[in-house]
Amino acid sequence: MAISIANQVVTARSDSLAFGVLLAIVYIAIQRVWSNRRFQNFASAHKCKMPPHTRSLLPWGIDRMWQMIQLTNRGGDIMESVIMPSFRSTGWNFQSSGLFGAEPLFISDPDNLRAVFATNFSDYGVESLRLGAFGFMVGKCIFTTDGPFWEHSRSLFRPHFATGQLGNLDATEKAVQDLLTAIPAHSSQAWTQEFDLQPLFLRFTLDSGTDFLFGVNVNSQLGAIPTSSPDHAVDYVSSVAADAVRGEMNFSEAFHLASVEVTKRAKLQSLYWLANSKKAQRAVAYLQTFIDHLAAMETPSPDPHESAPEKEGEDLPKKFTLLAALAKDTHNPIELRDQVLFALVASRDTTAAMLSWMFLMLAKHPSTFQHLRSAILSDFGSDSSSSSSPDARSNPITINGLKKCQYLQHVMLETLRLYPPGPLNSRVAVRDTVLPTGGGHDGKSPIAVRKGTVLNLCVYATQRRADIWGDDVLEFKPERWINRRRSDWTFLPFSGGPRTCLGQQYALTIAGYLTVRLLQRFDAIEAVDDLDTIPQFVTVTLEATKGVKVRLRKAGAAS
């Protein structure tokens, strides 16, 4: 009798559970039908049409995702192997299959980029995308957040990139001199040894960036020079930055490992947590420890007479660094570390990537190198410190002087056009919204964007479109910038709208400064590798896979 009653209870509970599951399924189905109908009505009201759709061999675009992860693992090129072929075959705006039925959009049309970045800025966010992927490395910071936290962070960062703050280039000159010291020269020959400029650029941007942002030059360039000279003695932080500390990994390897893991997490979309290797975790911990030591080198002390400006555009006190501003604003050490680590990543990697691609292009195009050198000598004179000529002269290098050197600006802009440091951006729609173009068979109708849709914004594709830039779009031609505006939505190496990169003028200034100083010192460049095809690799930036292996000829020396 008791067993019978128990069986009846179990049966009743099972029936109730089954009925509950059935109700949940019906409710979800009704919700989905209602949501689809509501979205269709929204699309119809705005006269929207569907964009082209790429085909996948497997459900949810798993084959495409796997291909991109495999390319990332082996240092392959996802831009030219996956993304650009899809744009060329499908159209400059298209939709693809994503995980669990999601349908992300890929966008390269200037009008759509303007809508996402600026016109309809409030319709899109980044936090739900970036905290999971990039937060693995840089945590909660200006780059990974939306709303009040992002707005407040931006207000802290902005004053430090004002023109007045950039005007003092003494720290940049010091970093330049360290780089020149690190170039391996033949004492009896005009040409240097064959060497890779890319790690020197990375150390240059690290040294100048830490000095500018945090008031501490970590001297990574000097720390990497094998020498017993006491002049090059360095502390622990400098040794770490110079990859001179032995262990499981060095600073550069940790940066690379963390960047690759972040890239894989971004490709995995909502399954980002699957990319969480122990080695990458140790790499991030290594970087975080470095940041803790860096912050300890220059502990800001609050000074009632030294504070951030109250009005935008007002100059900062000379010694009021970004580190001081962040430390004064927050007492949370993890938040401080995350903000500082992101600032370090942004100042080091993106500018070094730009310099690397620019000097690869100058090595590939000797006539451009000579044209640029002539313009530099005309505007700034020769390197009097290394010249034996009594007529050698050197004019001061200022921000205004760099801006007025038009051919230098054109070379940098053309480099950023072909090789933008951030080739692929992303946003997620926070409400149903509309893109102005790209829908229908002719691609001229608006596109309805459902709340929660991920948009991949490919400025790399925009800046390589023949219909915008001409049939010579893939050629490196600085002359194309004569009389061309750089402020339209066809050219976005620093993004656009309210989230425009705050450091764009800083990057152009220190890259231009270093270029002037190098071309004052050297009058020719030769590539070591064949540059007909240059392998590239996307992590947090667009990198030259094989580096920048060159020889340089000292100006005025017999060849």
Side-chain angles (χ1 to χ4, degrees), residues 452-515:
T453 297
V454 173
L455 290 84
N456 297 287
L457 310 163
C458 190
V459 299
Y460 180 95
T462 306
Q463 294 173 186
R464 287 172 172 247
R465 285 178 53 170
D467 60 322
I468 294 174
W469 296 91
D471 293 336
D472 60 354
V473 64
L474 298 182
E475 296 179 25
F476 182 79
K477 289 181 61 176
E479 292 75 15
R480 78 173 72 247
W481 288 93
I482 298 172
N483 298 324
R484 185 183 183 102
R485 293 175 60 218
R486 53 170 285 196
S487 57
D488 64 18
W489 295 89
T490 63
F491 180 70
L492 295 167
F494 298 105
S495 189
R499 293 191 84 110
T500 298
C501 175
L502 288 169
Q504 60 176 302
Q505 190 55 57
Y506 169 77
L508 291 170
T509 297
I510 68 167
Y513 190 101
L514 177 59
T515 302

Side-chain angles (χ1 to χ4, degrees), residues 52 54 83-95 106-108 465:
T54 57
I83 295 175
M84 288 302 289
S86 295
F87 274 120
R88 294 184 183 114
S89 63
T90 310
W92 295 114
N93 306 278
F94 67 85
Q95 202 156 30
F106 285 77
I107 302 298
S108 75
R465 285 178 53 170

Side-chain angles (χ1 to χ4, degrees), residues 67-68 70-72 74-85 460 534-538 542-543 545:
Q67 182 186 9
M68 289 197 288
Q70 288 296 97
L71 283 168
T72 300
R74 62 175 184 262
D77 182 6
I78 65 168
M79 299 308 302
E80 293 296 342
S81 298
V82 181
I83 295 175
M84 288 302 289
Y460 180 95
I534 306 175
Q536 60 187 33
F537 176 56
V538 179
L542 181 64
E543 302 175 15
T545 308

Side-chain angles (χ1 to χ4, degrees), residues 201-224:
F201 287 151
L202 284 165
R203 294 187 189 112
F204 166 77
T205 54
L206 179 62
D207 289 350
S208 56
T210 52
D211 193 298
F212 174 71
L213 296 172
F214 314 129
V216 178
N217 183 327
V218 295
N219 291 311
S220 66
Q221 201 78 262
L222 295 181

Side-chain angles (χ1 to χ4, degrees), residues 244-365:
V245 175
R246 293 182 179 180
E248 179 190 6
M249 65 184 72
N250 60 36
F251 183 81
S252 297
E253 290 168 345
F255 242 103
H256 180 73
L257 282 168
S259 298
V260 169
E261 198 77 353
V262 160
T263 304
K264 288 191 287 187
R265 289 167 75 92
K267 302 296 179 291
L268 283 166
Q269 302 168 34
S270 59
L271 297 179
Y272 63 84
W273 45 270
L274 290 174
N276 194 33
S277 72
K278 294 292 185 183
K279 194 166 186 178
Q281 290 179 34
R282 291 195 293 273
V284 172
Y286 186 101
L287 296 175
Q288 291 172 341
T289 300
F290 172 79
I291 292 299
D292 291 339
H293 282 286
L294 175 62
M297 287 177 67
E298 180 75 9
T299 304
S301 54
D303 184 340
H305 302 293
E306 195 171 87
S307 59
E310 296 181 2
K311 296 180 181 180
E312 187 174 336
E314 188 177 325
D315 286 344
L316 289 167
K318 185 176 181 180
K319 295 183 180 180
F320 196 81
T321 65
L322 175 62
L323 178 59
L326 293 172
K328 185 175 182 179
D329 184 73
T330 179
H331 299 290
N332 183 334
I334 294 176
E335 181 183 317
L336 175 63
R337 184 189 65 201
D338 290 345
Q339 295 275 35
V340 170
L341 180 53
F342 168 71
L344 185 65
V345 172
S347 64
R348 172 186 184 263
D349 286 36
T350 55
T351 310
M354 173 189 166
L355 282 163
S356 295
W357 285 113
M358 182 162 64
F359 275 81
L360 281 171
M361 291 299 99
L362 293 175
K364 186 176 182 178
H365 303 279

